[in-house]
Amino acid sequence: MYLVAIAWLYVALMMALAEATSTQGTVLGAIVTFVLYGALPISIVMYLLGTPARRAARRRAEADEPSSAKQPDHGGHATVEPTAAEGEKP
């Protein structure tokens, strides 16, 4: 999977280099070419292809959690026994 990504970035880099060194090309055009034909599409493809691995890692992490960590925290407040106000009988 990474070999294809590296190859695609190499091709996009060569396209950008050709754009920058062309008599009618510009460096800005080369940067746009590299980003729009190389970096952006391959980053989207790599993200989509990595989704199953991220999902499996998340499931493994959830399975390894202790049972107390799966309980809701109810806002994180400490549990306190109700007490009577000062001067009142409980």
Side-chain angles (χ1 to χ4, degrees):
M1 178 167 70
Y2 293 116
L3 184 62
V4 173
I6 292 169
W8 184 264
L9 287 175
Y10 176 76
V11 169
L13 183 66
M14 291 297 111
M15 289 172 56
L17 186 64
E19 173 79 22
T21 59
S22 172
T23 57
Q24 296 178 2
T26 62
V27 175
L28 179 62
I31 293 170
V32 170
T33 297
F34 181 74
V35 170
L36 294 181
Y37 287 123
L40 184 66
I42 203 66
S43 64
I44 292 170
V45 168
M46 295 300 288
Y47 178 78
L48 292 175
L49 290 177
T51 300
R54 285 192 309 275
R55 186 177 297 139
R58 185 174 50 233
R59 286 183 182 157
R60 277 193 308 271
E62 289 174 356
D64 292 341
E65 287 180 4
S67 61
S68 62
K70 294 180 183 176
Q71 300 294 330
D73 63 354
H74 300 292
H77 298 289
T79 305
V80 180
E81 294 292 325
T83 58
E86 193 173 319
E88 292 183 6
K89 294 183 180 179

